[in-house]
Amino acid sequence: MGQSPARTCLAVVLAAGEGTRMQSSRPKVLHMLAGRSMLGHCVAAVAAAGVDRIALVVGPGRDDVAAEMQALVPHCAISVQVERRGTAHAVLAAEAAIADGYDDLLVVFADTPLVRPETFQTLRIALRDTGAAVVALGFEARDPTGYGRLLVNGTRLDAIREEKDATPDERNITLCNAGLMALDGRIALDLLRRIGTQNAQGEFYLTDVVALARSESLETAVAVAPEDEVLGVNDRVQLARAESLMQGRLREKAMRGGATLVDPSSVTLAFDTVLGRDVTIEPNVVFATGVQVADGVTIRAFSHLEGVEVGARATIGPFARLRPGSVLHEDVHVGNFVEIKASTLEAGVKANHLSYIGDASIGAKTNIGAGTITCNYNGFQKFRTQIGAGAFIGVNSALVAPVTIGDGAFIGTGSVVTEDVAADALVIARARQVEKPGWAKTFRDKNKR
Ligand code: UD1
Ligand code: CA
């Protein structure tokens, strides 16, 4: 990612807010965007900006947030802000990590999940190039209500004024504080420790670091980001807005990478969706996490995919459901109302209508007839179905696992297959047809009054 400045960097991620407006038993920063928690997005962006270490600040009792963080970044520093006394106080909860000594200190909010790695790098580059003690991230607010205002003087930042402390004139300023900033790591601790609580809320404001730096004739600067990128999520309306912005980015990336999205706004992507070139996605397709789609694939309307690899030129749907642990090789056809779970379909397999394929391996070019069901579960355990290459499974067959069907075998329509089938054999596992001539007429006549 670009040429990142050759300076060491610590990112302190603040996540100790209460998040009450989410009205949720789940911590705010663990709410999901495009299949990944807000914390996950934030951490991925700072990591991509080339930071050397990440320190997380959580509220008391937030073991769930700490556990998610440990899963994302093993060996990160996690500290608890016991009392919620303001953003500077929160940063100081990570004092030990800061004291380890880094050139750059990035302060980021875990509930501001759309900030791009390039923006974090811009802050760091500004720090290096201006020699500033503090570089704040600003944005032009459509409605500045509630935000801190940036009081700029030329290229310099004199102060950040919180809304509650601002004069009427200052409130007219629309250049606002996004909240995140970069500080000179060598003097940050000293500045942060001297921030007081002389303000309308009696809190330790991180924003006060700017005026403090200026009072000591240290340089300060501002970098500006688009408002959409610094959207903070406090409630579910903002979460939905962030999701929609994130989806917009993912769709654009997919299209620029060579996928056709017929109706982009109706396609839901995950943060990790991989689409090849000349992939066509029809309307109303949902990609949950872990999907990789090779070149030339067509995914027709109303399909749902999760945890699956789709090979080149395959066609999926409409109305298909591909579930985790599945691998579909080249030229596979999966049609309407077919569900596939934890199964491998070799090249050229066709399962075009109304089937459940679970815990199965299916050899190349085998045809799965309409209504075929793998009976993989006895209420307690799951069993596998193995079908060879070039087999033909007749319509409405029930394959009772564990069962193996050999290469080239032919299963008669409506069979309930409970035993293994040899290669190239025909199996008919259904009652033989019985015909009783005239029976129906006799029956009717007998019941006539
Ligand atoms: C903050 C900024 C404001 C900026 C706004 C952008 C300060 C003093 N103000 O205000 O200038 O315009 O963000 O959204 O910094 N947090 C803690 N512990 C605390 C307090 C906050 O961890 O004691 C975390 C929160 O989880 C959140 C972030 O810090 O991620 C910002 O806190 P919040 O209370 O939302 O700050 P604002 O008042 O919105
Ligand atoms: Ca906020």
Side-chain angles (χ1 to χ4, degrees), residues 421-443:
V421 176
D424 295 322
L426 165 68
V427 156
I428 304 170
R430 63 178 186 238
R432 185 173 282 280
Q433 187 163 316
V434 174
E435 182 161 334
K436 300 186 176 177
W439 184 94
K441 185 169 186 307
T442 310
F443 178 74

Side-chain angles (χ1 to χ4, degrees), residues 21 28 84 109 111-112 146-147 232-234:
R21 279 177 286 165
K28 175 165 78 173
R84 204 175 175 285
F109 296 171
D111 65 359
T112 307
Y147 292 112
V233 173
N234 298 300

Side-chain angles (χ1 to χ4, degrees), residues 36 38 130 230 249 308 318 346 372 377 391 413 436 447:
R36 175 159 71 180
M38 289 201 270
T130 64
V230 297
R249 283 188 195 172
V308 57
E346 297 293 341
T372 296
Y377 185 50
T413 291
K436 300 186 176 177
N447 285 295

Side-chain angles (χ1 to χ4, degrees), residues 95-166:
E95 187 165 2
I98 303 168
D100 283 345
Y102 293 86
D103 300 318
D104 300 348
L105 171 64
L106 271 178
V107 178
V108 309
F109 296 171
D111 65 359
T112 307
L114 300 176
V115 182
R116 292 174 307 122
E118 293 83 348
T119 301
F120 291 127
Q121 283 188 326
T122 302
L123 288 174
R124 294 185 61 196
I125 289 164
L127 206 57
R128 183 193 63 189
D129 291 354
T130 64
V134 184
V135 182
L137 185 64
F139 66 100
E140 276 296 336
R142 283 175 286 254
D143 173 9
T145 313
Y147 292 112
R149 308 300 205 279
L150 299 188
L151 311 187
V152 281
N153 179 358
T155 58
R156 204 173 264 160
L157 183 60
D158 278 341
I160 304 178
R161 191 78 75 233
E162 291 305 295
E163 164 113 352
K164 287 183 178 144
D165 302 292

Side-chain angles (χ1 to χ4, degrees), residues 24 46 53 196 218 262 269 356:
S24 177
V46 291
R53 186 135 196 250
L218 296 166
V262 176
L269 298 163
Y356 172 63

Side-chain angles (χ1 to χ4, degrees), residues 165-245:
D165 302 292
T167 64
D169 273 355
E170 287 168 346
R171 286 187 190 184
N172 288 332
I173 297 171
T174 53
L175 183 62
C176 290
N177 177 31
L180 17 155
M181 54 177 70
L183 299 114
D184 180 335
R186 294 156 298 197
I187 56 173
L189 257 191
D190 174 57
L191 291 171
L192 289 166
R193 283 183 181 135
R194 286 187 287 131
I195 288 174
T197 56
Q198 273 67 53
N199 55 60
Q201 303 188 82
E203 287 188 1
F204 295 94
Y205 287 167
L206 175 61
T207 44
D208 283 349
V209 78
V210 174
L212 187 58
R214 285 307 301 138
S215 73
E216 299 179 2
S217 303
L218 296 166
E219 287 303 321
T220 54
V222 177
V224 178
E227 180 166 17
D228 282 349
E229 189 180 333
V230 297
L231 172 72
V233 173
N234 298 300
D235 59 29
R236 302 206 195 216
V237 175
Q238 289 167 331
L239 182 69
R241 168 110 184 97
E243 176 77 43
S244 137
L245 290 164

